[in-house]
Amino acid sequence: MTSYPAAAIRRLVTTVKFMKALVRPPGRSYVECLSCHPLRNSIDLKRAQMQHEVYRSVLANLGLEVLSLPQDDSHPDACFVEDCAVVHGRKALITRMGAPSRRGEESAVESALGEYLVTKRAEAPATIEGGDVVHLPDRLICGESQRTNAEGIRQMGEWLGVKVDTISDEGMMHLKSHVTYLGEDTFISTERYARHPVLEGMGVIVVPRREEYAADTLAIGDSVLMPAGLTESQRLVKRAGFDVISVEVSEFEKCDGALTCLSILL
Ligand code: CIR
């Protein structure tokens, strides 16, 4: 009989194992994306496309099969595929996005995911976006936010058959801009939710106030993708025992997007 070290077994139950990543490069209209970022008028499309190419190769180097949808020039925000679906196990909820201009992005995502998963669409009056959903192996934490309402959260929990905890705050756009899960029973969070009851009993790395953008991380196995330049937060995550991969996402930050937004893991 093979015996596995305790640390390896622990890692298996505290992280979600992904095989594939669905992505979509930014299209020609990307500079018209929804954004409140002060630098939104300086978005460089070529640079965004290059940064996306590097992102895809990082995922491939981590062993994921990268499924790339054709760009969608009719939806400026379409590269932020995460918002189009929530995957848990072998099921996906195709979302009804809270931002009306983004509705329609989900159709190509639905067809692609339908090859591998059983899908169902969220129905009005639900609104829900994947950027609000933090994935743990045995539960989800969902933001009730500017983009996701209580009915969206209810439909998601019912279809995916998983426990959902909620963080409600109408002042937030997406929960994952504030909290993400690293694995190993550890979150990374801005101060805003670091002491929220749904994180209780778990480790929480709190990012410094000037590095709040570092709270949106993408954990794949033992590796954690983090935005380049936020060195203090990267140091905290390394010190907690994770391998950090630093990724340039300046042109996505200018569209209020971040690392998780650019893929759906399945
Ligand atoms: C939006 O406002 O919808 C896009 N400009 C950014 C979406 C970012 N998505 C995410 O955080 N999951």
Side-chain angles (χ1 to χ4, degrees):
M1 200 177 100
T2 321
S3 69
Y4 296 96
I9 293 170
R10 194 174 138 67
R11 214 175 267 281
L12 273 178
V13 294
T14 59
T15 53
V16 188
K17 178 110 178 85
F18 300 110
M19 310 299 287
K20 296 179 171 56
L22 182 69
V23 300
R24 172 159 54 194
R28 274 198 292 272
S29 60
Y30 178 62
V31 299
E32 292 155 34
C33 64
L34 297 174
S35 178
C36 297
H37 194 281
L39 297 178
R40 62 186 176 278
N41 293 322
S42 71
I43 298 163
D44 181 331
L45 175 59
K46 279 268 159 310
R47 185 174 296 167
Q49 288 165 333
M50 274 163 43
Q51 290 179 349
H52 198 270
E53 202 174 313
V54 173
Y55 179 83
R56 296 196 303 268
S57 60
V58 170
L59 299 185
N61 288 335
L62 287 170
L64 293 176
E65 180 187 349
V66 178
L67 312 168
S68 198
L69 293 172
Q71 68 187 53
D72 174 352
D73 295 331
S74 59
H75 291 100
D77 290 288
C79 62
F80 300 116
V81 284
E82 167 177 63
D83 295 318
C84 298
V86 181
V87 172
H88 182 76
R90 303 322 301 160
K91 282 183 171 178
L93 180 82
I94 307 303
T95 59
R96 178 170 182 273
M97 281 187 273
S101 69
R102 297 197 56 189
R103 293 192 192 145
E105 290 178 23
E106 72 285 355
S107 296
V109 169
E110 181 180 30
S111 307
L113 292 180
E115 300 272 316
Y116 308 96
L117 307 171
V118 191
T119 66
K120 182 182 191 302
R121 279 193 175 236
E123 284 163 19
T127 65
I128 182 156
E129 297 192 359
D132 268 313
V133 186
V134 177
H135 296 253
L136 283 81
D138 58 345
R139 67 173 166 133
L140 305 176
I141 303 176
C142 190
E144 186 179 354
S145 67
Q146 291 162 356
R147 301 290 182 90
T148 294
N149 64 17
E151 176 59 14
I153 298 172
R154 193 195 63 75
Q155 289 185 20
M156 175 178 70
E158 186 178 277
W159 170 241
L160 299 179
V162 62
K163 178 175 192 286
V164 184
D165 288 322
T166 302
I167 295 183
S168 300
D169 182 348
E170 37 183 60
M172 96 181 133
M173 179 179 127
H174 279 150
L175 178 61
K176 269 199 282 204
S177 307
H178 299 277
V179 184
T180 50
Y181 179 64
L182 297 170
E184 299 283 320
D185 294 337
T186 306
F187 293 99
I188 181 164
S189 176
T190 60
E191 281 178 17
R192 187 157 165 164
Y193 304 118
R195 275 165 291 282
H196 194 282
V198 305
L199 309 191
E200 214 174 282
M202 309 279 272
V204 183
I205 296 173
V206 184
V207 297
R209 212 165 265 181
R210 65 188 176 286
E211 292 194 3
E212 287 203 331
Y213 187 63
D216 187 300
T217 65
L218 183 62
I220 298 171
D222 301 342
S223 301
V224 179
L225 278 62
M226 294 187 72
L230 303 179
T231 50
E232 179 59 17
S233 305
Q234 291 192 1
R235 197 180 59 75
L236 294 172
V237 174
K238 281 183 200 157
R239 205 172 63 189
F242 297 91
D243 295 333
V244 170
I245 302 176
S246 189
V247 184
E248 277 291 349
V249 278
S250 61
E251 303 315 297
F252 300 108
E253 182 177 6
K254 291 175 190 171
C255 269
D256 289 342
L259 282 160
T260 61
C261 320
L262 296 172
S263 55
I264 297 172
L265 302 178
L266 58 151

